[in-house]
Structure formats: C-alpha cells, structure tokens
Amino acid sequence: MTALFSSSEVLETIRMVQAENLDIRTVTLGISLRDCATSDLNTTCHRIYDKVRRKAERLVPVAEEIEARFGIPIVNKRIAVTPISLVGEPSGAEDYLPLSETLDRAAAEVGVNFVGGFSALVHKGFTSGDHALINSLPQALSQTERVCASVNVGTTQAGLNMDAIRTLGLIIKETARLTAHQGGLGCAKLVVFCNAPEDNPFMAGAFHGVGEPECALNVGVSGPGVVLAAIRQHPTADLGTIATVIKNTAFKVTRMGELVAREVSCRLGVPFGIVDLSLAPTTAQGDSVAEILESMGLERCGACGTTAALALLNDAVKKGGAMASSYVGGLSGAFIPVSEDSGMIRAVEEGALTLPKLEAMTAVCSVGLDMFAVPGDTPAEVISALIADEAAIGMVNKKTTAVRVIPAPGMKPGDVVEVGGLLGRAPVMPVNNFSPAAFVARGGRIPAPLLALNN
Amino acid sequence: MDKEERAIVTVIGQDRVGIISGVATVLAEHNVNILDISQTVLQEFFTMMMVVDLKGCRVDFNRLQQELVGKGASLGVQVQLQHADIFRYMHRI
C-alpha cells in the first residue's frame, strides 16, 4: 500500500462498518422557521410547507450520494425546525394540530423519517403559544407520523417549571390513551427536557434553537458495536487502559462524522453546525451500550458498578471525540434508551436493571430516562414526579436530562410493549407506588440552584 | 496528481482464479488507473486492496461502484469502492 493508506487501517474501517454496525446515525438539517410566523394560521402553514420543502429537498439525495462515496451507511436523514410555539404564536390560534400536519406533509414530501421541533421552551413560564402547543401535543402526536415533540421544563439558570411538569404528566397519559392501539407510540415522540441543547441532531428531541443560523447541518455519529469490539480485545486491562481504548475508538468514529458533516454541508451549501458524538444503540445484537458496560466486567447492566462504568464510558467518549471534530455539540455521550438497546432490554427482563438504578445512571450519561415503559395505570402525578426528579438531576449537575416515558396502555410489569422499528420494544418496569400527588399539585417553580449564580 | 480522485477498492472473499483480473478489467474498461495493489490471505479469506485514480474515469462514481459490485457477485466475492478520504480522515489528522 502507498504510505497514505495502511492495509490494516483500511481493513479496520471496513470491519467497523460491516461487522460492528458503525454508521452515521443521523444527518439532521436545522431550518429556522422564524420568518414563517404570521398572524394567520393558514398562511403560516403554507410558508412552513414551502420553506421546509425548499431548504430540504436535496437533503436525502445528497446524503445518499455521500453514503455511496464513502461506503458508510447514513441511517437517518432528518429535519429540525424552530420551536413551533414561537412560530405559531403570532397567529393567536389555540389548536396547533394544523402546524403539526403541515410539518408531517413536508417531511414526507422531502423523504425524511422524522421532523423535530414541535416544541416549546417553558423553563420559566408559559406564553400563549406555549400553552397552545402543549395542549395540542396529544392530538399532534397521535395524528401525525413523522412529527417529534419536546418541551424544555427546566434549566440550571432558571430552575424547574413545576406547573409545566404537572401538565405534562397529564399530556403524556392522554397521548398514550390516543395511541393505545400502537402501544402508546405517541409518547415515544415526546421528550421532556431539562437544559435542552439547541443543536441536538437526535430525535425525538431535536429542534433548531433560537440562537442558530438560518440553516445548519448537524450530524450524529454512533458506534456502540465498535467500542464493544475494542474493549473485548482487552479482557484483563485495567480501567485506565479501557478509557484509552474507548477514547481511541471514539476519535475514529467522530472523524468519520466530521468528514460526512463537512461533505454534506458543502454540497447542500449549508453551514456545518456540530458533530454529536453519541453512542446511540440499536436493537441489533452487539450494538448495545449495556453490553459495553457488561464487557467491562459487570454480569449484567444494572449491577452495582454500572454507574461507575457508565461514567467512565461517557467521559472517554467525549474526550476522544472532542479531539476529532472542530465543532462538538448536541448531547455527546452515551445514550441509554431501554427499548432501543438489546442489552438494556435483557437487563430489565432479568430483573438486573430497575428504575431507581436507571435514574442513577442518568446522572452520568448524556441524556436521561429514555424510552422506558411503565404500567398503563401509572397516575399522571407519578409521571410528573418522575420528570421532576430527572429534571432536578439535570438542573443541579448542569447537564441535559430528559424523560421519554411510555405509560403502556393496559400493561403491567413484566409485559412488553412493542413500539416498532428503530424504537424497539420496552419491558414494562414497576414504579414506586407511594403517592407524590400533593407535592406535584403544589405547582410553582423550583428555584435555580445556587450554582446558577455565577455571574 | 490530485489526491481528491483517489479511491480504494477492497475485495474480500474465498480465494479463486481470476479475481484480480476480473476487477482490473472493469477498472481498465473505464480508464481507471491502478496506483497500488496489495493482497493478503487472512483465515482463508482473500483480501485485496487497490488504490485507484478516478481522475480519468469515464463513468460516474455510482456506476463504477455498481459494476464492481456486480463483478464481485459473479466472482463470489464482496467488492467495495470507497473514496479514499474516509480512510485518510479516520486514521490521520
């Protein structure tokens, strides 16, 4: 081989893709819809449809060209838009279902599988547009296919909006009821955030933040299988060595994301935003974050030691990836969605992983309580309290946390809800039965922590 | 030469007569120059890599890729054509 290319490196790249499920998980085009807001809802819808179609019409063909050119699968092509509460507000409308239907049609037209940004940022309180959006969520999520929603209910700087958290417990229950025939699928498209990032390319929580440019191209890499294979080559190495192995692997994975992001953005004529260095599992065997933790020496994910192993993994992924890209952003770390990770599913089914342990893990992972199912009869206030706990972890630790929970209609612990496709299957986890109702009913705001006072 | 035109052809599969010749014929038909070839046999699997120059190539990347994959299928091996940047980027700063 010529000096530029070593055979072992070429083979390593090919092995990563073919045997270890390495892929670009998502190429997400962020589009500002701020200039689509008008005082008439119909006009706003027309403008949104036209703009999304115009800006995104070449996204899928260009991404497919790049896939072929580099031989790297790009699994998802997606769109993120300005939080719709901001775009819909000048119309004065109280029902935002037409806005979600417009996004759904535009997404179908340009061939993307999800469009994120049916969102509201209410960490300190509501405007009329925020109310309209949140109240429209159950209908929007049950009557559209591709629209993803998120609500930011807290930040480290603002504290937690407990009124929003109380409302969202009810909204999630209603969404599950309206999509009961699909196992509560609507809930899988709704993320409740604390400290939501404005440039996250991953669904369901992607939106195009207010500080973003007109358009931006963000890329989410993946690669749990690659990290797993690398760790398995070091069965007795100490944990410092394991951290180095993960860093080296994350570096290579991220370089690939950087290359793809630059090529796609160049061909689309859109600024390159960020690479999100996340380990995003799939239900494919070996493409599992839980199995990475187990490969470090835990019998099952959820055993004592799991939080420490995840902390090591999450940190090493960031350190390796940060060196490989000029712009890192989004969530960047290890995702631990239950339903989308075969190892997590097994750990729950075998009783190794419980909800309290999962919550502890979210303190050191990149997002939060993600894609897990609780019994269908879980009261709304319990879901609200669960969200409050998770948001408090994010607020106090200055990190993003999120909840994406499915109160699986008609199901009990031990049942399994099939959400389908990339979203996988979630074993229903038991929830603490003692009531937080009076706490949730108080409402109001939980003040920002002392560490927010850093000016 | 313009490095941007470099691509890498990899062939993986059971060894047999005519693999290199078959792949090289497709490349020659489209005026693709082979800059370097290496081959190894790993655990009974034949692995060949070619660094090629696409500068003078008379068909587009996708078409060449399809023809190489088709040739590979007829030879019972897996052939890939990938732009060289992916390897440079992943392993070099």
Side-chain angles (χ1 to χ4, degrees), chain A residues 79-155:
Chain A
I79 294 169
V81 298
T82 306
I84 289 296
S85 65
L86 303 175
V87 185
E89 190 159 287
S91 72
E94 291 182 359
D95 179 4
Y96 281 7
L97 182 61
L99 291 166
S100 65
E101 289 170 337
T102 300
L103 287 173
D104 207 32
R105 274 192 301 125
E109 176 74 26
V110 298
V112 300
N113 61 353
F114 281 124
V115 52
F118 196 74
S119 305
L121 311 176
V122 297
H123 35 275
K124 212 160 180 184
F126 304 93
T127 65
S128 58
D130 297 329
H131 277 301
L133 184 123
I134 290 172
N135 291 331
S136 304
L137 283 170
Q139 293 293 334
L141 292 170
S142 59
Q143 294 186 32
T144 63
E145 185 189 338
R146 294 175 164 85
V147 175
C148 291
S150 56
V151 181
N152 193 57
V153 296
T155 66

Side-chain angles (χ1 to χ4, degrees), chain B residues 10-33:
Chain B
T10 48
V11 181
I12 300 172
Q14 286 284 323
D15 198 7
R16 57 169 282 184
V17 172
I19 296 177
I20 293 183
S21 142
V23 172
T25 303
V26 173
L27 296 170
E29 279 168 2
H30 297 303
N31 197 38
V32 176
N33 190 27

Side-chain angles (χ1 to χ4, degrees), chain A residues 260-286:
Chain A
V260 167
R262 289 192 175 281
E263 285 284 332
V264 174
S265 67
C266 174
R267 288 183 187 209
L268 284 177
V270 165
F272 161 42
I274 55 98
V275 174
D276 186 319
L277 348 153
S278 284
L279 292 183
T282 68
T283 48
Q285 206 64 41

Side-chain angles (χ1 to χ4, degrees), chain A residues 1-2 13 18 68-70, chain B residues 36 65 78 80 82-83 91:
Chain A
M1 282 284 115
T2 53
T13 302
Q18 295 188 349
R69 184 174 171 84
F70 295 130
Chain B
D36 198 356
Q65 194 169 47
Q78 186 191 326
Q80 281 202 87
Q82 289 164 282
H83 199 276
H91 300 282

Side-chain angles (χ1 to χ4, degrees), chain A residues 1-14 16-18 22 64-65 67-72 251-253 255-256 258-260 262-263 323-324, chain B residues 3-8 10 12 35-40 42 47-51 61-62 65 78 80-93:
Chain A
M1 282 284 115
T2 53
L4 262 179
F5 307 102
S6 105
S7 309
S8 61
E9 288 171 352
V10 169
L11 278 181
E12 182 185 5
T13 302
I14 289 173
M16 284 176 168
V17 173
Q18 295 188 349
L22 177 61
E64 284 171 353
E65 267 172 46
E67 271 184 286
R69 184 174 171 84
F70 295 130
I72 299 285
F251 177 87
K252 290 174 186 173
V253 169
R255 287 292 286 171
M256 190 193 66
E258 171 97 356
L259 173 64
V260 167
R262 289 192 175 281
E263 285 284 332
M323 294 294 290
Chain B
K3 267 189 276 180
E4 296 307 307
E5 295 299 315
R6 283 192 188 185
I8 296 197
T10 48
I12 300 172
L35 301 171
D36 198 356
I37 300 184
S38 79
Q39 72 167 71
T40 50
L42 273 178
T47 310
M48 179 184 74
M49 276 171 278
M50 288 176 176
V51 179
F61 192 92
N62 285 2
Q65 194 169 47
Q78 186 191 326
Q80 281 202 87
L81 172 71
Q82 289 164 282
H83 199 276
D85 278 353
I86 190 73
F87 304 103
R88 273 204 309 125
Y89 239 78
M90 185 179 263
H91 300 282
R92 302 277 189 274
I93 301 181

Side-chain angles (χ1 to χ4, degrees), chain A residues 166 169-170 173 378-387 435-438 440-441:
Chain A
R166 183 177 55 190
L170 297 164
K173 289 281 287 185
T378 306
E381 63 267 18
V382 171
I383 291 172
S384 294
L386 218 142
I387 293 170
S435 175
V440 171

